[in-house]
Amino acid sequence: MKWWGWGDPDVSFTHRDKPKLAPFVRENVDLDLDRDAAPPPTLDALDVPASKLGKELLDALRSAVGPDHVRWDRRERVLHAYGKSIRDLLRLRAGDPGRLPDVVVYPGSEHEVTAVLEAAAAEGAVVVPFGGGTNISGSLEPPRAESRPVVSVDVGRMDRVRSIDSDSRLAVVEAGVRGPALEAQLAQQGWTMGHFPDSFTHSTLGGWIATRSSGMQSDRYGDISAITRAVRVATPVGTLVTRAVPATSTGPSVREMVLGSEGRLGVITEATVQVHRIPEQRVILGYFFPTWDAGLAAMSAIAASETTPFLTRVSDAHETQFSLATAKAPTVGSRLQSFALKQFLRHVKKVHLEEACLSFIGFEGSPARVKADRRAVGRLVAKHGGVCVGTGPGTLYDQKKFDTPYIRDYLLERGGLADVSETATGWSNLSHLYGAVLEAARKAFAELGVKGWIMCHLSHSYHSGACLYFTFAFKPAGGLDAGRYDAALAQYDVVKRAIQQAFVDHGATLSHHHAVGVEHSRWLAEDISPAGEAMVRALFDGVDPDHRFNPGKIVP
Amino acid sequence: MKWWGWGDPDVSFTHRDKPKLAPFVRENVDLDLDRDAAPPPTLDALDVPASKLGKELLDALRSAVGPDHVRWDRRERVLHAYGKSIRDLLRLRAGDPGRLPDVVVYPGSEHEVTAVLEAAAAEGAVVVPFGGGTNISGSLEPPRAESRPVVSVDVGRMDRVRSIDSDSRLAVVEAGVRGPALEAQLAQQGWTMGHFPDSFTHSTLGGWIATRSSGMQSDRYGDISAITRAVRVATPVGTLVTRAVPATSTGPSVREMVLGSEGRLGVITEATVQVHRIPEQRVILGYFFPTWDAGLAAMSAIAASETTPFLTRVSDAHETQFSLATAKAPTVGSRLQSFALKQFLRHVKKVHLEEACLSFIGFEGSPARVKADRRAVGRLVAKHGGVCVGTGPGTLYDQKKFDTPYIRDYLLERGGLADVSETATGWSNLSHLYGAVLEAARKAFAELGVKGWIMCHLSHSYHSGACLYFTFAFKPAGGLDAGRYDAALAQYDVVKRAIQQAFVDHGATLSHHHAVGVEHSRWLAEDISPAGEAMVRALFDGVDPDHRFNPGKIVP
């Protein structure tokens, strides 16, 4: 993982093979992709304060996890200080590393985690659990004024599937495993967990649980809260061990207290998760809807129907235009196909192309189920004026689904800020909410005097509602060259806050699956009411009265 | 509702039209159903202590809800002191009313609930929320030594469906509504909530939420925790209002903290719940499996399949024998049918009738879905040696499903103790757990020197496991006449505790859907670990530091 940005240093995005992208970006956010990219920041340029690690704590940590697994070099400390939000990346570029952890430890077992917590407790040190470091809500950074030593507990060595109970369809998994390693271990025995968030390649099981993650196949497999049947957590009040029972009435659910707790209750060491047999067939079909509202109505109808797609997704017209603009240079054949498709949409289906909304629906299971669901969904889609465009776009989407964060960094290196905000609300409120968010974002852009862009898709359908996922981008006024990072961040905040405020002002939640951290905590009381915030605070204060576990997150 | 037993005083059970029942009961629990029933206890025989209601509190409560809705007569106080467990019934028969509430108030709105809580707070009074009073885990009784005034808050007047959002498939419902009134209001507009616990006729929405209830159609509609999308709760820290969003990542779920809280966090006033269109078709089919293990394996296979029955249930051989013994006197036609069925099972299917296990599986939805699911389930059943016996038994089950508690009271009046204990565990552990529970119960019966009976069914299937529901009965040594109630209760405890201990000793939970109350709290730390208990306690202590809300429940 890059310390200054998203993902694998060897993976790169380029607009050069996508002829429509540079013109699209120039027109819509006034940004020149052909300009030279800013070089990545260097570690040497960071003003890294000395570690507050004292000898007693160092010795105790070395004894807890072994000397090789205790590190406090500059790169380790920086890498464990942040997630990957735009704020995080800008601050690093600005040379402001904030309050870094003083030491990073890599326990190899729950026993070692417990030993680390004991060492930290003895020295009054703060503990921040670390999974993949991919959050974008400020779930990791120690408070700037923290005077106690800060220990980052990276559970990345705890990455094994310990056992699979084939009869109960449950796997016991260590919390530090990343998505690909988890799915590979499960697949060896013919299983899948079915959890594929955008961050899949770099995020961990423990991180998914700590942030109430949701994956793109949640329609069928459930959010992480449904997938996770039991947890083991090293907490300030001892090791929490819940039972892997399918349901229970043991009072308020402690399992659900751990879900979304972002390290405030301790370090998640292990979870028991539902697994499913890898389906026989799997296909993602593409559709076009004539309007956004038609797409929303179709998704609602599908959610209420007897069909069981694993993925339902529809982009608004803006995101559809963006998707089409990221297409690679077409071959003569695909150009002809694309021309024929446009003619078909325009003349036969009477779809206005600039209003058309691209949709993906995924089917899996037995051939009979896939066939029946495709047919039933096809009827519902047609009822709302939609038209199927086959497997091509869906296959492409499936291949590229984890690449989006790289585009954000590519824009950043070329002077553009792009980020995401997502929420959920009831079906009846989706269209209204969408309008309110677009209006709020555009008002913010106008206030800043920038040419801004906002686009949206619906994903994660439920019986009573769905998630709306917004992506916005703009070139900050004054540019984004060295020395302008703080000014850019202030502008980013104007837009981000306008969008988040629109969520809570219009009946939606502050986040469907990106958690609270410090970025979203200002909207918590509006979302769950002051009494709700008081309940969360009562839990944290009761379990961790000294606020030694990831202090400042969720409730300040 | 009877104050001394289950249900409607006008509904009665009799063994007279069930010729096999009395011999069955005589043989298996040594009890004579033909003996005269003990008369119900009388209110006058109860030693009811004077109410501690002071003038200030009385005036404040009258002003909060109106004078007509404040009551402290003997019947009201007794009716609101208990649930309907065997312990509750025995104590009332023993003339021991325990620590009764001092006053019962009937608020008509959330505003009035808040006013009641303010009045109680001003006088330092204890508040016990009351829904239907049907719990069997001791979720209502004030601690015997409670010296503060105790206010029972009966929300029964708050019984309206306030609104239905047809697009989001959500209904906003007041917490005091009972099952039949709720479903009737929803049905007027073509909807159902799909929640049908055994207590349905007398229990309330608020009570279901407070105890994490599960209904017999949970396979399709989910437990109350899934059905409930938002709550409003009058708490000691203000009115909690969560949003009716389909999913959210706002830290630990406060909605899930309220689910199962049994009044410890305040009074639930309203909930937003998922509703579904009343299905076009509905049918419950009966099946016989050759053995219990075959039945369990078939239910697991169905849970993993692409079929979506709303009900999966299989009785062990004992419960099957009991069900057959409760049949009414047969007509010549049904006798012939029954004879033919037996011949078929015995000679064609090679089923040993004494090992046969009766199963019900319910299908609903479009005719096409019902047909496809019936066929697919039929194949899975056949694969495990099961055979379909048509719609007759299922229709009967559907009609009689809410009558079981009346049988328990019928036995009690004739000197027998019968009760239930239920749990959940993973599919791989069900058979082992079942054996361990039967062994524990039989050891307890032997210890007491009684002829005891225990039977079981599986219900509520999930992806990873299911609920096992045990019913046990025996005639206490020394009998159950007046003066012997305490001795009988002590014997009951031996059996009940042996069963519950077997649950937690063998990897299951202390209860799948009957909550904790005071009856199950001794097993909480074993179930969710001491750290889990500490977390629950931290939440309660933080929200209600003076322990004024239903003190003593869940964690003592």
Side-chain angles (χ1 to χ4, degrees):
Chain A
M1 173 82 100
K2 298 170 191 161
W3 64 264
W4 70 91
W6 178 261
D8 189 333
D10 297 333
V11 174
S12 65
F13 176 88
T14 177
H15 73 283
R16 306 272 172 203
D17 56 353
K18 303 172 187 76
K20 292 180 196 166
L21 187 55
F24 183 91
V25 170
R26 191 173 304 116
E27 184 187 335
N28 290 297
V29 290
D30 197 19
L31 190 71
D32 179 13
L33 291 187
D34 291 318
R35 66 172 265 186
D36 287 339
T42 61
L43 274 173
D44 291 340
L46 289 178
D47 181 20
V48 173
S51 167
K52 284 176 186 286
L53 179 63
K55 181 157 180 354
E56 283 77 16
L57 183 54
L58 173 62
D59 288 347
L61 294 174
R62 281 182 155 164
S63 144
V65 298
D68 291 351
H69 300 122
V70 181
R71 294 160 71 173
W72 63 98
D73 56 276
R74 181 177 280 244
R75 188 175 181 284
E76 283 288 324
R77 289 175 64 205
V78 169
L79 190 54
H80 288 83
Y82 286 125
K84 297 296 176 188
S85 73
I86 274 285
R87 173 182 307 277
D88 299 335
L89 305 194
L90 283 179
R91 281 184 297 187
L92 288 176
R93 273 156 212 271
D96 169 22
R99 174 64 170 95
L100 301 176
D102 298 296
V103 61
V104 181
V105 295
Y106 290 86
S109 66
E110 182 182 285
H111 179 76
E112 290 188 3
V113 170
T114 307
V116 166
L117 298 198
E118 282 166 8
E123 300 296 323
V126 164
V127 170
V128 183
F130 187 95
T134 63
N135 79 82
I136 55 171
S137 301
S139 301
L140 281 175
E141 63 196 73
R144 220 167 248 273
E146 181 59 64
S147 59
R148 298 168 290 184
V150 176
V151 181
S152 174
V153 181
D154 185 323
V155 292
R157 288 173 62 214
M158 298 165 63
D159 62 353
R160 286 175 311 150
V161 172
R162 294 168 67 93
S163 62
I164 299 177
D165 176 346
S166 300
D167 290 332
S168 298
R169 302 175 276 269
L170 289 169
V172 178
V173 186
E174 291 181 320
V177 70
R178 287 185 166 68
L182 168 59
E183 284 293 327
Q185 290 175 74
L186 293 175
Q188 276 180 356
Q189 297 184 52
W191 297 98
T192 177
M193 195 171 99
H195 185 71
F196 301 100
D198 289 355
S199 62
F200 176 77
T201 50
H202 290 80
S203 53
T204 61
L205 174 60
W208 300 333
I209 294 169
T211 57
R212 298 188 79 91
S213 170
S214 181
M216 49 190 80
Q217 300 188 185
S218 68
D219 287 21
R220 177 162 145 68
Y221 294 90
D223 299 329
I224 199 69
S225 56
I227 294 168
T228 305
R229 299 320 312 159
V231 287
R232 290 183 70 100
V233 188
T235 85
V237 291
T239 303
L240 171 71
V241 184
T242 69
R243 292 181 175 214
V245 295
T248 178
S249 61
T250 46
S253 167
V254 289
R255 184 183 60 81
E256 287 275 358
M257 292 179 197
V258 170
L259 283 153
S261 59
E262 299 185 40
R264 295 276 328 233
L265 296 172
V267 183
I268 301 165
T269 58
E270 185 182 289
T272 306
V273 295
Q274 289 185 177
V275 292
H276 299 251
R277 282 292 174 200
I278 293 169
E280 242 181 296
Q281 277 196 1
R282 183 175 192 277
V283 61
I284 299 178
L285 291 182
Y287 303 84
F288 272 102
F289 286 96
T291 63
W292 172 239
D293 281 345
L296 296 183
M299 297 304 123
S300 174
I302 291 167
S305 76
E306 291 173 341
T307 66
T308 54
F310 69 83
L311 166 78
T312 48
R313 181 184 167 112
V314 56
S315 294
D316 71 356
H318 308 294
E319 194 171 277
T320 301
Q321 297 301 321
F322 173 73
S323 292
L324 297 176
T326 59
K328 292 201 176 177
T331 60
V332 175
S334 68
R335 205 190 294 261
L336 277 172
Q337 270 185 8
S338 162
F339 178 76
L341 175 62
K342 277 184 193 163
Q343 296 297 315
F344 172 74
L345 290 173
R346 189 176 283 141
H347 298 293
V348 182
K349 293 289 172 181
K350 309 290 180 201
V351 170
H352 296 279
L353 286 182
E354 61 286 2
E355 287 176 27
C357 292
L358 179 60
S359 167
F360 296 117
I361 301 178
F363 306 91
E364 62 176 32
S366 68
R369 168 53 57 99
V370 169
K371 191 175 162 192
D373 271 4
R374 280 177 67 156
R375 190 177 302 160
V377 164
R379 277 194 297 266
L380 292 171
V381 165
K383 208 173 153 184
H384 293 91
V387 51
C388 183
V389 292
T391 56
T395 306
L396 204 64
Y397 161 77
D398 213 18
Q399 288 164 0
K400 298 288 175 192
K401 62 193 174 191
F402 300 129
D403 293 352
T404 322
Y406 291 102
I407 305 182
R408 184 194 60 166
D409 286 13
Y410 194 76
L411 290 178
L412 181 62
E413 288 159 9
R414 283 153 187 84
L417 293 182
D419 205 7
V420 295
S421 262
E422 45 72 57
T423 185
T425 193
W427 289 109
S428 64
N429 192 39
L430 285 172
S431 182
H432 164 78
L433 174 71
Y434 171 77
V437 172
L438 259 55
E439 193 187 324
R442 286 171 182 162
K443 211 174 136 193
F445 293 141
E447 192 184 312
L448 297 173
V450 300
K451 192 163 190 178
W453 173 257
I454 181 162
M455 62 189 187
C456 176
H457 64 258
L458 172 150
S459 51
H460 311 282
S461 291
Y462 302 82
H463 181 71
S464 63
C467 166
L468 287 187
Y469 197 107
F470 295 88
T471 304
F472 59 93
F474 66 101
K475 189 175 77 177
L480 194 56
D481 298 315
R484 300 289 308 169
Y485 293 114
D486 286 349
L489 194 50
Q491 294 174 60
Y492 163 81
D493 279 342
V494 169
V495 181
K496 167 80 177 172
R497 288 180 188 177
I499 292 171
Q500 289 288 141
Q501 193 61 47
F503 290 169
V504 295
D505 284 350
H506 295 273
T509 183
L510 62 81
S511 166
H512 168 264
H513 61 275
H514 283 166
V516 186
V518 295
E519 295 285 321
H520 296 148
S521 60
R522 71 177 62 215
W523 294 282
L524 187 66
E526 282 183 81
D527 189 325
I528 65 173
S529 78
E533 191 178 75
M535 286 167 62
V536 173
R537 197 185 294 276
L539 173 66
F540 291 163
D541 287 354
V543 172
D544 177 28
D546 299 329
H547 297 182
R548 287 200 308 102
F549 284 77
N550 207 10
K553 308 311 178 304
I554 305 177
V555 288
Chain B
M1 174 83 98
K2 296 170 191 160
W3 64 265
W4 71 91
W6 178 259
D8 190 332
D10 297 333
V11 174
S12 65
F13 176 88
T14 177
H15 73 283
R16 305 276 173 200
D17 56 353
K18 302 171 187 75
K20 294 180 194 163
L21 187 55
F24 183 92
V25 171
R26 192 174 304 115
E27 185 186 335
N28 290 297
V29 291
D30 197 20
L31 190 71
D32 178 13
L33 289 188
D34 291 318
R35 65 171 268 186
D36 289 338
T42 61
L43 274 173
D44 290 342
L46 289 178
D47 181 19
V48 173
S51 167
K52 285 177 189 282
L53 178 63
K55 180 155 180 359
E56 283 76 17
L57 182 54
L58 173 62
D59 288 346
L61 294 175
R62 281 182 154 164
S63 144
V65 298
D68 290 352
H69 303 302
V70 180
R71 294 161 71 172
W72 63 98
D73 56 275
R74 182 176 279 246
R75 188 177 181 283
E76 284 288 324
R77 289 176 63 205
V78 170
L79 190 54
H80 287 83
Y82 287 125
K84 297 296 177 188
S85 73
I86 274 286
R87 172 182 307 275
D88 299 334
L89 272 39
L90 283 179
R91 282 183 297 186
L92 287 175
R93 273 156 212 270
D96 169 21
R99 174 63 171 97
L100 300 175
D102 298 297
V103 61
V104 181
V105 295
Y106 290 86
S109 65
E110 182 181 285
H111 179 76
E112 291 188 2
V113 170
T114 307
V116 166
L117 298 198
E118 282 166 7
E123 300 295 323
V126 164
V127 170
V128 182
F130 187 94
T134 62
N135 78 81
I136 55 171
S137 302
S139 301
L140 281 175
E141 62 197 76
R144 221 168 247 271
E146 181 58 65
S147 59
R148 299 168 289 185
V150 176
V151 182
S152 174
V153 181
D154 186 324
V155 291
R157 289 172 62 215
M158 298 166 61
D159 63 352
R160 286 176 311 149
V161 172
R162 293 168 67 93
S163 62
I164 299 177
D165 176 345
S166 299
D167 290 332
S168 298
R169 301 177 276 271
L170 289 169
V172 178
V173 186
E174 291 181 321
V177 69
R178 286 184 167 67
L182 168 60
E183 283 293 326
Q185 291 175 72
L186 293 176
Q188 276 180 355
Q189 298 184 51
W191 298 99
T192 178
M193 195 171 99
H195 186 72
F196 300 101
D198 289 355
S199 63
F200 176 78
T201 51
H202 290 79
S203 52
T204 61
L205 174 59
W208 301 333
I209 294 170
T211 56
R212 297 189 79 90
S213 170
S214 181
M216 50 190 79
Q217 301 189 183
S218 69
D219 287 20
R220 175 162 146 69
Y221 295 90
D223 299 330
I224 200 68
S225 56
I227 293 168
T228 304
R229 299 319 313 158
V231 288
R232 291 183 69 100
V233 188
T235 85
V237 291
T239 303
L240 172 70
V241 184
T242 68
R243 293 181 174 213
V245 294
T248 179
S249 61
T250 47
S253 167
V254 288
R255 184 183 61 81
E256 287 275 358
M257 292 180 197
V258 171
L259 283 154
S261 58
E262 299 186 42
R264 295 275 330 232
L265 297 173
V267 183
I268 300 166
T269 59
E270 185 183 289
T272 306
V273 296
Q274 289 185 178
V275 292
H276 299 251
R277 283 293 174 198
I278 293 170
E280 242 181 297
Q281 276 196 0
R282 183 176 192 278
V283 61
I284 299 177
L285 291 183
Y287 303 83
F288 271 103
F289 286 95
T291 63
W292 173 239
D293 281 344
L296 296 183
M299 297 302 122
S300 175
I302 292 167
S305 77
E306 291 172 343
T307 66
T308 54
F310 69 84
L311 166 78
T312 48
R313 181 184 166 112
V314 56
S315 295
D316 72 355
H318 309 292
E319 193 171 278
T320 301
Q321 296 300 320
F322 173 74
S323 290
L324 297 176
T326 61
K328 293 201 177 180
T331 60
V332 176
S334 67
R335 206 188 295 261
L336 277 171
Q337 270 185 8
S338 163
F339 178 77
L341 176 62
K342 278 185 194 163
Q343 295 298 314
F344 172 74
L345 290 172
R346 189 176 284 138
H347 298 294
V348 181
K349 294 290 172 179
K350 310 288 180 201
V351 171
H352 296 278
L353 286 182
E354 61 286 0
E355 287 177 28
C357 292
L358 179 59
S359 167
F360 296 118
I361 301 178
F363 307 90
E364 63 177 33
S366 67
R369 167 54 56 100
V370 169
K371 190 175 162 191
D373 272 4
R374 279 177 68 156
R375 190 177 302 159
V377 164
R379 277 194 297 267
L380 292 170
V381 165
K383 207 171 154 186
H384 293 90
V387 51
C388 183
V389 293
T391 57
T395 306
L396 203 64
Y397 161 77
D398 212 19
Q399 287 163 1
K400 299 287 177 193
K401 62 192 174 193
F402 301 129
D403 293 353
T404 322
Y406 291 101
I407 305 180
R408 184 194 59 167
D409 285 14
Y410 194 77
L411 290 178
L412 182 61
E413 287 159 10
R414 284 155 186 82
L417 293 183
D419 204 8
V420 296
S421 264
E422 46 71 57
T423 186
T425 194
W427 288 109
S428 64
N429 191 40
L430 285 172
S431 182
H432 164 78
L433 174 72
Y434 170 79
V437 171
L438 258 57
E439 192 186 325
R442 286 170 181 160
K443 211 173 136 194
F445 293 141
E447 191 183 313
L448 298 173
V450 299
K451 191 164 189 177
W453 174 258
I454 182 163
M455 62 189 186
C456 176
H457 64 257
L458 172 151
S459 52
H460 312 281
S461 292
Y462 304 81
H463 181 72
S464 63
C467 165
L468 286 188
Y469 197 108
F470 295 88
T471 304
F472 59 94
F474 65 101
K475 190 175 78 176
L480 195 56
D481 298 315
R484 299 288 308 166
Y485 294 113
D486 287 349
L489 194 49
Q491 292 174 62
Y492 163 81
D493 281 341
V494 169
V495 182
K496 167 80 178 172
R497 288 179 188 177
I499 291 172
Q500 289 288 141
Q501 192 62 48
F503 290 170
V504 294
D505 283 350
H506 295 274
T509 183
L510 61 81
S511 166
H512 168 263
H513 62 276
H514 283 166
V516 186
V518 295
E519 295 285 321
H520 296 146
S521 59
R522 72 178 60 215
W523 295 282
L524 187 66
E526 281 182 81
D527 189 326
I528 66 173
S529 77
E533 190 177 77
M535 285 167 62
V536 173
R537 196 185 296 274
L539 173 67
F540 292 164
D541 288 354
V543 172
D544 177 28
D546 299 329
H547 296 182
R548 286 198 309 102
F549 284 76
N550 208 12
K553 309 311 176 305
I554 305 176
V555 288

